[in-house]
Amino acid sequence: MDMKSSSSSPVLTDPAPINKSRLCIHSNLLAYPQSGASFSSGKHINIPRKKPGKLDDVRSNGWLDAMKSSSPPRKKHIKDFSIELASDETDIADYSWMLKYPSALNSFEQITNFAKKKKIAIFLDYDGTLSPIVDDPDQALMSSDMRSAVRNVAKYFPTAIISGRSRDKVYELVGLTELYYAGSHGMDIVGPINKAVSNDHPNCIQSTDQQGEEVNLFQPAIEFIRMIDEVFRTLVENTKEIKGAKVEHHKFCASVHYRNVEEKNWPAIAQIVHDILKQYPRLKLTHGRKVLEVRPVIDWNKGKAVEFLLESLGLNNHDDVLPIYIGDDRTDEDAFKVLREGNKGYGILVSSTPKETNAFYSLRDPTEVMKFLNSLVRWKKLQEGGRSMNNRWSI
Ligand SMILES: O=P(O)(O)OC[C@H]1O[C@H](O[C@H]2O[C@H](CO)[C@@H](O)[C@H](O)[C@H]2O)[C@H](O)[C@@H](O)[C@@H]1O
């Protein structure tokens, strides 16, 4: 299916350099007094101190660059080139980026023309997509207007949130029962009951959701629960002397935030994560927006979660289905890739600065995401002559 008729598909490179290999840094880079990482409880690991090394090692490894480029500066915004002419080199770069990844709002007619007579399924990331990026992860709240927009979208289209946070946490933040939720980057999914799907996937069981409704619960990394718990506690202990560091427990993965850490202490953060990963070869590192994420080495990600949910909803491999995934982060690229490679649907990157992506379209920020969702609802209402589905979506 020709997803975007206006231009040929651009050949994409992977987003910003991400070095997923082991971090390699040395303790003489630490800008804070190191206490040595040994613990009395016996539940933590003993982390050996590193021999002094050179800053060049860290730079050549690429991870510091990945940390620095992991979240765009907030002030810079891509201009709306429909009303403004490009004037300098930055503008021209922004302009060509917008040509490659046009605004989903400006391309709304093109999207809905393609969506006619198709069932749209909506997948939404949370942080940076539904809520603005803020310094304190606990304060990343959705506006009530955004909540209404998501609620309305869910009346017309099957809708799921796929977040890096724990499923419980993202449910608490979104607070809508009308949706499906996948937490821990898709490693904890609640989807509709589907016997064929649960038979096909080990670790997929029947359960009940918060409303007592029967659901499929899929936790492909269930065997890692204890390990992640242990690693979380060690990370908390080892980062406690680094001002601004924050560790979050997402049940199947853990996040180490450095957004509020002085840049001179970023190597210290990375050192700690690196040393822990060395002790746990079954865990790996991924980069998010000013956050290092420790997760199991399993073949599962947000892209697989989209496929799983489509299958659960009976919407996979159908030409008359159009999945739309909206997200802002590197981990969302897995979902964009699945949609692009399978010519299955549209990825929409939320970004105020140009970056390489597997998405098809772009939106600048959560406000534009909300406008897009509201436009979809208006369009659908017109299509249906004002009728809305009160129950879950007819499949
Ligand atoms: O997949 P997501 O729903 O986008 O979750 C990814 C991470 O989001 C959160 O961190 C990010 O947002 C915070 C609040 O705006 C910000 O302070 C932080 O710098 C960002 O990385 C969340 O706290 C992480 O645990 C998620 O993994």
Side-chain angles (χ1 to χ4, degrees):
M1 106 178 126
D2 179 15
M3 302 299 303
K4 205 158 134 188
S5 54
S6 64
S7 62
S8 58
S9 267
V11 178
L12 293 166
T13 55
D14 275 331
I18 304 171
N19 188 347
K20 288 185 182 170
S21 62
R22 297 277 177 265
L23 304 174
C24 179
I25 54 173
H26 301 282
S27 55
N28 69 334
L29 301 174
L30 307 186
Y32 77 110
Q34 239 197 335
S35 59
S38 63
F39 306 96
S40 53
S41 72
K43 287 186 176 168
H44 298 291
I45 53 173
N46 283 323
I47 293 174
R49 295 177 77 106
K50 302 227 94 188
K51 284 194 190 137
K54 288 187 284 176
L55 189 59
D56 285 352
D57 293 342
V58 185
R59 291 210 174 107
S60 62
N61 233 356
W63 69 269
L64 258 185
D65 290 337
M67 286 174 86
K68 280 179 192 158
S69 67
S70 77
S71 201
R74 287 191 202 157
K75 280 183 193 136
K76 190 174 174 300
H77 283 286
I78 295 166
K79 296 187 179 96
D80 184 345
F81 287 99
S82 59
I83 55 165
E84 212 165 324
L85 284 177
S87 56
D88 59 24
E89 269 178 34
T90 318
D91 284 353
I92 291 165
D94 289 359
Y95 179 64
S96 46
W97 188 81
M98 287 300 285
L99 286 179
K100 205 168 166 188
Y101 309 106
S103 159
L105 287 172
N106 294 343
S107 312
F108 192 74
E109 209 179 317
Q110 188 183 8
I111 294 173
T112 47
N113 276 340
F114 189 74
K116 265 183 201 149
K117 301 202 175 129
K118 291 190 194 309
K119 288 177 196 133
I120 294 179
I122 302 287
F123 298 94
L124 301 164
D125 167 55
Y126 182 77
D127 288 279
T129 298
L130 298 182
S131 69
I133 293 292
V134 292
D135 286 342
D136 179 359
D138 293 332
Q139 294 306 314
L141 307 177
M142 242 171 119
S143 68
S144 51
D145 286 348
M146 180 66 96
R147 187 165 293 103
S148 303
V150 176
R151 183 185 289 116
N152 287 335
V153 140
K155 281 183 192 156
Y156 291 93
F157 313 104
T159 303
I161 309 280
I162 303 189
S163 171
R165 291 179 184 257
S166 74
R167 183 167 49 80
D168 286 349
K169 183 70 191 176
V170 77
Y171 174 70
E172 184 189 314
L173 288 164
V174 175
L176 296 171
T177 55
E178 301 89 328
L179 318 175
Y180 295 113
Y181 290 88
S184 310
H185 298 291
M187 288 181 283
D188 189 6
I189 308 181
V190 164
I193 285 283
N194 184 322
K195 289 240 160 62
V197 169
S198 45
N199 290 341
D200 273 6
H201 293 82
N203 295 332
C204 183
I205 56 163
Q206 245 170 274
S207 183
T208 46
D209 68 8
Q210 288 92 339
Q211 290 69 53
E213 269 185 48
E214 292 218 320
V215 289
N216 266 5
L217 173 66
F218 184 44
Q219 298 180 323
I222 194 143
E223 61 183 294
F224 289 87
I225 284 190
R226 280 186 59 194
M227 191 186 285
I228 292 292
D229 197 46
E230 194 174 273
V231 164
F232 166 76
R233 282 182 284 113
T234 309
L235 285 168
V236 170
E237 178 64 27
N238 290 12
T239 56
K240 71 181 180 197
E241 288 180 41
I242 303 180
K243 200 167 160 237
K246 183 179 173 82
V247 187
E248 283 182 299
H249 194 326
H250 300 312
K251 196 166 180 173
F252 298 102
C253 50
S255 300
V256 184
H257 290 271
Y258 56 91
R259 181 173 294 280
N260 303 318
V261 173
E262 274 190 77
E263 200 166 324
K264 64 178 183 183
N265 285 331
W266 289 6
I269 291 274
Q271 170 84 48
I272 286 162
V273 174
H274 164 247
D275 287 347
I276 284 176
L277 285 177
K278 243 170 96 181
Q279 305 289 321
Y280 290 89
R282 294 179 71 211
L283 299 180
K284 66 178 177 182
L285 170 80
T286 54
H287 290 266
R289 296 180 72 168
K290 300 275 186 273
V291 67
L292 299 176
E293 318 224 50
V294 175
R295 55 201 276 185
V297 181
I298 59 166
D299 183 21
W300 200 263
N301 54 42
K302 288 185 171 189
K304 300 257 179 185
V306 167
E307 289 178 314
F308 178 88
L309 278 163
L310 285 172
E311 199 185 337
S312 303
L313 289 158
L315 298 176
N316 60 325
N317 300 325
H318 291 295
D319 277 349
D320 63 345
V321 173
L322 181 70
I324 295 178
Y325 186 105
I326 311 181
D328 72 311
D329 212 342
R330 286 176 184 170
T331 58
D332 299 310
E333 290 296 329
D334 293 319
F336 296 152
K337 212 167 165 192
V338 157
L339 297 187
R340 177 180 278 273
E341 284 178 355
N343 259 347
K344 286 184 180 147
Y346 293 132
I348 302 178
L349 175 71
V350 184
S351 180
S352 60
T353 54
K355 41 178 154 160
E356 274 308 310
T357 177
N358 282 291
F360 265 103
Y361 294 105
S362 64
L363 289 167
R364 281 184 281 210
D365 49 35
T367 306
E368 286 203 352
V369 172
M370 188 170 77
K371 283 186 191 160
F372 180 78
L373 297 178
N374 286 338
S375 302
L376 270 183
V377 170
R378 271 196 303 276
W379 169 78
K380 186 68 179 174
K381 276 185 181 166
L382 280 174
Q383 292 266 304
E384 294 197 344
R387 275 180 297 114
S388 77
M389 293 182 285
N390 285 324
N391 53 356
R392 285 252 163 129
W393 324 274
S394 55
I395 293 164

Coordinates of all heavy atoms in Angstrom, one line a residue, residues 259-297:
R259 N 18.6 14.5 33.9 CA 18.2 15.8 33.4 C 18.6 16.9 34.4 O 19.0 18.0 34.1 CB 16.7 15.8 33.2 CG 16.1 17.1 32.7 CD 14.6 17.0 32.4 NE 14.4 16.1 31.2 CZ 14.6 16.5 30.0 NH1 14.9 17.7 29.7 NH2 14.4 15.7 29.0
N260 N 18.5 16.5 35.7 CA 18.8 17.5 36.8 C 20.2 17.4 37.4 O 20.4 17.9 38.5 CB 17.7 17.4 37.8 CG 16.3 17.6 37.3 OD1 16.1 18.5 36.4 ND2 15.4 16.8 37.7
V261 N 21.0 16.6 36.7 CA 22.4 16.4 37.2 C 23.3 17.3 36.4 O 23.2 17.5 35.2 CB 22.8 14.9 37.0 CG1 24.2 14.7 37.3 CG2 21.9 14.0 37.8
E262 N 24.2 17.9 37.1 CA 25.2 18.8 36.5 C 25.9 18.0 35.4 O 26.3 16.8 35.7 CB 26.2 19.3 37.5 CG 25.7 20.6 38.2 CD 26.9 21.2 39.0 OE1 27.8 21.8 38.4 OE2 26.9 21.0 40.2
E263 N 26.2 18.6 34.3 CA 26.8 17.8 33.2 C 28.1 17.2 33.6 O 28.5 16.1 33.1 CB 26.9 18.7 32.0 CG 27.1 17.9 30.7 CD 26.9 18.7 29.4 OE1 26.1 19.6 29.4 OE2 27.6 18.4 28.4
K264 N 28.9 17.9 34.4 CA 30.2 17.3 34.8 C 30.0 16.0 35.6 O 30.9 15.2 35.7 CB 31.0 18.3 35.7 CG 30.3 18.6 37.0 CD 31.1 19.6 37.8 CE 30.4 19.8 39.2 NZ 31.0 20.7 40.1
N265 N 28.8 15.7 36.1 CA 28.6 14.5 36.8 C 27.9 13.4 35.9 O 27.7 12.3 36.4 CB 27.7 14.7 38.0 CG 28.5 15.3 39.1 OD1 29.7 15.2 39.2 ND2 27.8 16.1 39.9
W266 N 27.7 13.7 34.6 CA 27.1 12.7 33.8 C 28.0 11.4 33.6 O 27.5 10.3 33.6 CB 26.8 13.2 32.4 CG 25.6 14.2 32.4 CD1 25.0 14.7 33.5 CD2 25.0 14.9 31.3 NE1 24.0 15.6 33.2 CE2 24.0 15.7 31.8 CE3 25.2 14.8 29.9 CZ2 23.2 16.5 31.0 CZ3 24.5 15.6 29.1 CH2 23.4 16.4 29.6
P267 N 29.3 11.6 33.5 CA 30.2 10.4 33.4 C 30.0 9.5 34.7 O 30.1 8.3 34.6 CB 31.6 11.0 33.4 CG 31.4 12.3 32.7 CD 30.1 12.8 33.3
A268 N 29.7 10.1 35.8 CA 29.6 9.4 37.0 C 28.3 8.5 37.0 O 28.3 7.3 37.3 CB 29.5 10.3 38.2
I269 N 27.3 9.1 36.4 CA 26.0 8.4 36.3 C 26.2 7.2 35.3 O 25.8 6.0 35.6 CB 24.9 9.3 35.6 CG1 24.5 10.4 36.6 CG2 23.7 8.5 35.1 CD1 23.4 10.0 37.6
A270 N 26.9 7.5 34.2 CA 27.1 6.4 33.2 C 28.0 5.3 33.8 O 27.8 4.1 33.5 CB 27.7 7.0 32.0
Q271 N 29.0 5.7 34.6 CA 29.9 4.7 35.2 C 29.1 3.7 36.1 O 29.3 2.5 36.0 CB 30.9 5.5 36.1 CG 31.7 4.6 37.0 CD 32.9 4.0 36.3 OE1 33.7 4.7 35.6 NE2 33.1 2.7 36.4
I272 N 28.1 4.3 36.8 CA 27.3 3.5 37.7 C 26.5 2.5 36.9 O 26.4 1.3 37.2 CB 26.5 4.4 38.6 CG1 27.4 5.0 39.7 CG2 25.4 3.6 39.3 CD1 26.8 6.2 40.3
V273 N 25.9 3.0 35.9 CA 25.0 2.1 35.1 C 25.9 1.1 34.4 O 25.5 -0.1 34.3 CB 24.2 3.0 34.0 CG1 23.4 2.1 33.1 CG2 23.3 3.9 34.8
H274 N 27.0 1.5 33.9 CA 27.9 0.6 33.2 C 28.3 -0.5 34.1 O 28.3 -1.7 33.7 CB 29.1 1.4 32.7 CG 30.3 0.5 32.3 ND1 31.4 0.5 33.0 CD2 30.4 -0.3 31.3 CE1 32.3 -0.3 32.4 NE2 31.7 -0.9 31.4
D275 N 28.7 -0.2 35.3 CA 29.2 -1.2 36.2 C 28.1 -2.2 36.6 O 28.4 -3.4 36.8 CB 29.8 -0.5 37.5 CG 31.2 0.1 37.1 OD1 31.7 -0.1 36.1 OD2 31.6 0.9 38.0
I276 N 26.9 -1.7 36.7 CA 25.8 -2.6 37.0 C 25.6 -3.6 35.8 O 25.4 -4.8 36.0 CB 24.6 -1.8 37.4 CG1 24.8 -1.4 38.9 CG2 23.3 -2.7 37.4 CD1 23.8 -0.5 39.4
L277 N 25.5 -3.0 34.6 CA 25.3 -3.8 33.4 C 26.3 -4.9 33.3 O 26.0 -6.0 32.8 CB 25.2 -3.0 32.2 CG 24.0 -2.1 32.0 CD1 24.1 -1.3 30.7 CD2 22.7 -3.0 31.9
K278 N 27.5 -4.6 33.7 CA 28.6 -5.6 33.6 C 28.3 -6.8 34.5 O 28.7 -8.0 34.2 CB 29.9 -5.0 34.1 CG 31.0 -4.9 33.0 CD 32.2 -4.1 33.3 CE 33.3 -5.0 33.8 NZ 34.5 -4.2 34.2
Q279 N 27.6 -6.5 35.6 CA 27.2 -7.6 36.5 C 26.0 -8.4 36.0 O 25.7 -9.5 36.6 CB 26.9 -7.1 37.9 CG 28.0 -6.2 38.5 CD 29.2 -7.1 38.9 OE1 29.0 -8.2 39.4 NE2 30.4 -6.6 38.7
Y280 N 25.3 -7.8 35.1 CA 24.0 -8.4 34.7 C 24.0 -8.5 33.1 O 23.4 -7.7 32.5 CB 22.8 -7.6 35.1 CG 22.5 -7.6 36.6 CD1 23.2 -6.7 37.4 CD2 21.7 -8.6 37.2 CE1 22.9 -6.7 38.8 CE2 21.5 -8.6 38.5 CZ 22.1 -7.7 39.3 OH 21.8 -7.7 40.7
P281 N 24.7 -9.5 32.6 CA 24.8 -9.6 31.1 C 23.4 -9.8 30.4 O 23.3 -9.6 29.2 CB 25.7 -10.8 30.9 CG 25.8 -11.5 32.2 CD 25.4 -10.6 33.3
R282 N 22.4 -10.1 31.2 CA 21.1 -10.3 30.6 C 20.3 -9.0 30.6 O 19.1 -8.9 30.2 CB 20.3 -11.4 31.3 CG 21.0 -12.8 31.1 CD 20.2 -13.8 31.8 NE 18.9 -14.1 31.2 CZ 17.9 -14.5 31.8 NH1 17.9 -14.7 33.2 NH2 16.7 -14.8 31.2
L283 N 20.9 -7.9 31.0 CA 20.3 -6.6 30.9 C 21.1 -5.7 29.9 O 22.3 -5.9 29.7 CB 20.3 -5.9 32.3 CG 19.5 -6.6 33.4 CD1 19.5 -5.8 34.7 CD2 18.0 -6.9 33.0
K284 N 20.4 -4.7 29.3 CA 21.1 -3.8 28.4 C 20.6 -2.4 28.6 O 19.7 -2.1 29.4 CB 20.7 -4.2 27.0 CG 19.3 -4.1 26.6 CD 19.0 -4.4 25.1 CE 17.5 -4.3 24.8 NZ 17.2 -4.6 23.5
L285 N 21.3 -1.5 28.0 CA 21.1 -0.1 28.1 C 20.4 0.5 26.9 O 20.8 0.1 25.8 CB 22.4 0.7 28.3 CG 22.3 2.2 28.2 CD1 21.8 2.8 29.6 CD2 23.7 2.8 27.9
T286 N 19.4 1.3 27.1 CA 18.9 2.1 25.9 C 18.8 3.6 26.4 O 18.8 3.8 27.6 CB 17.5 1.7 25.4 OG1 16.6 1.6 26.5 CG2 17.6 0.3 24.8
H287 N 18.9 4.5 25.5 CA 18.9 5.9 25.8 C 17.5 6.5 25.6 O 16.9 6.2 24.5 CB 19.9 6.7 24.9 CG 21.3 6.4 25.2 ND1 22.0 7.2 26.0 CD2 22.1 5.4 24.8 CE1 23.3 6.7 26.1 NE2 23.3 5.6 25.3
G288 N 17.1 7.3 26.5 CA 15.8 8.1 26.3 C 16.2 9.6 26.5 O 17.4 9.9 26.4
R289 N 15.2 10.4 26.7 CA 15.5 11.8 26.8 C 16.0 12.1 28.2 O 15.3 12.1 29.2 CB 14.2 12.6 26.5 CG 13.7 12.4 25.1 CD 12.4 13.1 24.8 NE 12.6 14.6 24.7 CZ 11.7 15.4 24.2 NH1 10.6 15.0 23.8 NH2 12.0 16.7 24.2
K290 N 17.3 12.4 28.2 CA 18.1 12.6 29.5 C 17.8 11.5 30.5 O 17.6 11.8 31.7 CB 17.7 14.0 30.1 CG 18.0 15.1 29.1 CD 19.5 15.6 29.2 CE 19.7 16.9 28.4 NZ 20.1 16.6 27.0
V291 N 17.8 10.3 30.0 CA 17.5 9.2 30.9 C 18.2 7.9 30.3 O 18.3 7.7 29.1 CB 16.0 8.9 31.0 CG1 15.3 8.5 29.8 CG2 15.7 7.9 32.2
L292 N 18.9 7.2 31.2 CA 19.5 5.9 30.8 C 18.5 4.8 31.2 O 18.1 4.8 32.4 CB 20.8 5.7 31.4 CG 21.9 6.7 31.1 CD1 23.2 6.5 31.9 CD2 22.2 6.7 29.6
E293 N 18.2 3.9 30.4 CA 17.2 2.9 30.7 C 17.8 1.5 30.7 O 18.5 1.1 29.7 CB 16.0 2.9 29.7 CG 15.6 4.3 29.4 CD 14.1 4.6 29.4 OE1 13.5 4.2 30.4 OE2 13.6 5.1 28.4
V294 N 17.6 0.8 31.8 CA 18.2 -0.5 31.9 C 17.0 -1.5 31.7 O 16.0 -1.4 32.4 CB 18.8 -0.7 33.3 CG1 19.2 -2.2 33.5 CG2 19.9 0.2 33.5
R295 N 17.2 -2.4 30.7 CA 16.1 -3.3 30.4 C 16.6 -4.7 30.0 O 17.8 -4.8 29.6 CB 15.2 -2.7 29.3 CG 16.0 -2.3 28.1 CD 15.2 -1.3 27.3 NE 14.2 -1.9 26.4 CZ 13.5 -1.2 25.5 NH1 13.6 0.0 25.4 NH2 12.6 -1.9 24.8
P296 N 15.7 -5.7 30.1 CA 16.2 -7.0 29.7 C 16.6 -7.2 28.3 O 16.0 -6.5 27.4 CB 14.9 -7.9 30.0 CG 14.1 -7.1 30.9 CD 14.4 -5.6 30.6
V297 N 17.5 -8.1 28.0 CA 17.9 -8.4 26.7 C 16.9 -9.4 26.1 O 17.1 -10.6 26.2 CB 19.3 -9.0 26.6 CG1 19.7 -9.3 25.2 CG2 20.3 -8.0 27.2

